[in-house]
Amino acid sequence: MTYPFKKIEAKWQKKWERDGIFHAREPRGQGAKGLKGGEKFYGLIEFPYPSGEGLHVGHPRSYTAIDIVTRKKRMEGKNVLYPIGWDAFGLPTENFAIKHKVKPAVATKKNVANFTRQLKSLGFGFDWSREIDTTDPAYYKWTQWMFLKFFNSYYDEATKRARPLSELKIPPKFRLQGPKAIAAYLDEKRMAYKASATINWCPSCKIGLANEEAQGGVCERCGGKVEKREKAQWMIRITAYADRLIEDLKTVDYLDRIRTQQINWIGKSEGASVDFSFVIQNHTFSSLRSQYTKRRGNLVRQDCHVVATPRNDEKDSEGVITVFTTRPDTLFGATYLVLSPEYPLLDRWLQDGVIKNARNVQEYCEGARKKSDIERQENKEKTGVVLDGISAVNPATGENIPVWIADYVLSGYGTGAIMAVPAHDERDFEFAKKHGLPIAQVVSSVIPAQAGIQNKKEIVCFTEEGTATNSSFLNGLPTNEAKEKMIAWLEKGKKGKRTVNFKLRDWVFSRQRYWGEPIPIIFCDECGPVAVAEKSLPVKLPDVRRYEPTDTGESPLAKISTWVKVKCPTCHRQAKRETDTMPNWAGSSWYFLRYCDPHNRKEFASAKSLKYWMPVDLYNGGMEHTTLHLLYSRFWYKFLWDLGLIPEECGSEPYARRHSNALILGEGGVKMSKSKGNVVNPDDVVAVYGADVFRLFEMFIGPFDADAPWDTRGIEGVKRFLEKVWRLYSDVQHPTFNVGCWTSDIEALLHRTIKKVGDDIESLNFNTAISAMMILANAMSDVGAGSSRPDSVSRPNRVNASVGEGGRTPPLHGRETFLKLLAPFAPHIAEELWQKLGHKTSIHVAEWPSYDETKLVADTFELVVQVNGKVRDRMTVPSDISEKDATAAALESPKIKAALEGKEPKKIIYVKGRLVSIAI
RNA sequence: GCCGCGGUGGCGGAAUUGGUAGACGCACGGGACUCAAAAUCCCGCGAUCGAAAGGUCAUGAGAGUUCGAUUCUCUCCCGCGGCACCA
């Protein structure tokens, strides 16, 4: 018998929508029918990008999960907000529009309609009255408004908060220099600023990509190779928040691996910057080499005499090369420096002709510049070239050391220069071996007296195969202490200072594309970049004939001269609009705020609604967003919060709890993709099995945070489960609905299932929750069936067919309770059966069942008896058996007696409710 | 290379966090019902020895702690994901 899901599902979806049972109540909470406390619960899923391909079976995994959680919260009396919207700006739609010759706005509308139909067919309890769309001018007006906040703010290092630019004190020297100098000073400080940046350039998309978007050296969108290119870009100063983005992770409940990923992405490293004085002199690299002799094919110093007094004040000193190192304690082993090919001083040296092998150096730099960052990083060969004519002085040993350039040193991180310690760094070691550079292991060091550390023996210099271990370098001190001593010494002698570096870079915020929010800036020859007046927002996207970016890489908007030409808001002279647009991460960085108050025309959201709804109680999405989107939106939120645009009491983090789900793979465990032809369309599944089966299967398929392969046969299992439930409830005469037929065993099972399902929903273990419901359903259908299912209730006893003791029959309505447990998972069938039982209101606003602690335990349990750790007997005993009785019973068992072989037990261990373990 | 996660039947996966390994489901085998099929119901289903009772071996490999280890510790192997000449 197949239950008529087609009829049922459409019917209830319509009814729920008409009754608005999934609408979140306004903050006041008055008149909220059926609400117990009015306590809120904000469940959030990553709003989808409405692509032309429609919904993928991966989408509903997240949506169903949070749907289940929010439905339970609603039944518990919470005022639930579970909103939905569209993250619709961006390249896929633009590329689709170009290909199919439709306007992006039209394509988006169509895609949204399709997604809406699909999502509604799955019966999610979204509050559709709060639907938002990032491409709606009423929405992106506020995205632009926020951009202007970035533009008009600076980061106040003293208070560690962003503040309005109007509060920035301008140093007198700039004021004296006049308005231009003041403007320049302000531009330096802005949170959104324009800078010429080495960007990742995708030649096929004709678009600049953030580093984060160009992972693997290929364009995230088109898969093409990424090149390097200089371009003036809008940047947002996310780096100002690096520390707080790490620190505040302590205040939120994120999965450990998400937290770790965030921290690693930001990449804080503490160390020191060290100044190496460099010397322009006649000795060449070969003359430096002559200090060393060859041993075992490596160049080593044989007699290592340490000079305690650094020589950077000597007369041949020409200047300073600053390096950053996380291991200042290895400074004694620094035997050469390596500069990036972009190192600023290089050009000057080449011009001055002080480099003797200038031609080699120039060639090398040109080669390196042609390569993209990615290619340079992929290059496993440690290429490099020496700067003949330049040498540097190791400030700790006073030695002259050679200076090299190599493209494995990146200009964008640290100072663009490193000190190489080949004995203690594997990359440096490889490089040194390849180029015949000296390797000095720091075993114990002579520390300059100023460091306040007693002198020990000289550095022992030698080299063996491989690098040295990370032992301590300074007089046997632990690494951290050694680092501290070294930093203290460096700072005292003004040779360097404590420095913190981050991997995180500022956010490249411009795109030279059409389908994004226009950046609301006007360029005036007189006034420079000027913000569009707030009252003129939104700056709407104009209609364009062609969406292809221009060959020059400018946005298609640049071609619309009527749109580009505007009056300067400040001086009213002729000026030009910014034609770049924002990345599609802009709109998704704050959408969860808009959900709180989506129809507000005066503010992006009222303080009152934000105070009520924020922070998000549970946010779930894909693993692929655990670095980028999560980081950007946390940053964006903190910025608004700093400015007081989000009430203080909301807290400094937008998401109280973040969870990420894994992928649904194709059959056989490979990733679903169009090219492999193994993509499963939810529509097809719903047509054959219905939404409830689909939802249940997506949750039963495996642990929520583990990849799971789609399995068309596996889906039959959950289908059978629902059909069994349907059959059971169709038979009102079934003994399970006769209170007298319930034993205390099945009653205990009912209570255990209530607990299990509730707990599992909270911890997002949906697969085991469903398994528990299956067990209960099996037991219920077995009631009165005589013999069946020995294992379904409590091991080892089957549901005892005998009637429970008089008066102890369940006061709880098992049939109602089961449906309530099922309701969040399979809402349609649960509602249908609920109403068949005679209920007039929806099961989804019925009260979530509670369990009785005292009934969680069955009357008896199976006592396991082990001898030397091996199970030798099992016996059914009363639940409240005493240790003494249990042990006695165990020792009396013939099987145990046999296993003991007449020996005396050395030790008897009793685990309450479980086992007796006898050691002989 | 670094970081993170994982490795349990033919398959997806359970295991109360140190206490009966394999719940639940799929697949498979046998049976009942049926003229037959489907559906449903019942029984079986890690390997191995055994007619059976029962025994032995089993959670990637190897050691260790323990009365007892899938769970804790160490070493190693393999897979997946993320990041990367980040100094």
Side-chain angles (χ1 to χ4, degrees), chain A residues 744-749 752 793-797 808 853-862 877-880:
Chain A
S744 57
D745 274 347
I746 193 171
E747 198 194 342
L749 176 67
R752 282 204 304 274
V793 173
S794 66
R795 285 167 299 177
N797 291 344
R808 287 209 57 232
E853 287 279 357
T854 63
K855 288 183 180 162
L856 293 177
V857 189
D859 295 342
T860 61
F861 73 97
E862 190 188 35
V877 298
S879 296
D880 52 1

Side-chain angles (χ1 to χ4, degrees), chain A residues 174-325:
Chain A
F174 295 110
R175 264 182 292 172
L176 290 173
Q177 286 171 39
K180 286 245 156 114
I182 294 172
Y185 179 74
L186 292 177
D187 284 348
E188 289 250 304
K189 294 287 177 183
R190 295 178 191 278
M191 285 290 295
Y193 61 98
K194 207 148 193 191
S196 175
T198 309
I199 59 155
N200 302 301
W201 177 257
C202 174
S204 74
C205 297
K206 284 158 184 157
I207 184 176
L209 301 166
N211 286 326
E212 292 91 332
E213 291 173 285
Q215 291 173 49
V218 292
C219 174
E220 191 178 82
R221 317 278 172 154
C222 72
K225 270 208 155 191
V226 174
E227 293 174 358
K228 251 166 85 176
R229 191 152 163 174
E230 290 288 318
K231 175 110 192 157
Q233 297 281 358
W234 282 102
M235 312 279 287
I236 295 192
R237 214 179 290 282
I238 189 172
T239 50
Y241 283 72
D243 253 324
R244 288 167 62 189
L245 286 166
I246 293 175
E247 269 309 296
D248 290 355
L249 285 170
K250 288 176 189 153
T251 69
V252 291
D253 175 18
Y254 284 16
L255 281 186
D256 279 345
R257 64 184 135 141
I258 299 175
R259 188 193 312 269
T260 309
Q261 256 182 290
Q262 292 265 305
I263 291 171
N264 289 348
W265 189 268
I266 296 165
K268 181 177 185 170
S269 51
E270 298 178 65
S273 45
V274 183
D275 294 338
F276 285 69
S277 55
F278 67 82
V279 186
I280 296 171
Q281 22 73 319
N282 356 353
H283 60 251
T284 58
F285 177 47
S286 42
S287 73
L288 285 174
R289 277 168 75 124
S290 64
Q291 298 172 59
Y292 307 91
T293 55
K294 277 210 168 184
R295 190 202 293 175
R296 290 195 206 107
N298 295 318
L299 212 51
V300 299
R301 282 177 306 186
Q302 240 161 4
D303 173 29
C304 189
H305 179 66
V306 171
V307 182
T309 316
R311 313 193 324 187
N312 65 341
D313 49 0
E314 287 194 6
K315 60 177 186 287
D316 58 351
S317 167
E318 301 280 339
V320 160
I321 294 168
T322 304
V323 305
F324 172 72
T325 176

Side-chain angles (χ1 to χ4, degrees), chain A residues 166 243 256 355 423 615 737:
Chain A
S166 55
D243 253 324
D256 279 345
I355 293 172
F737 298 142

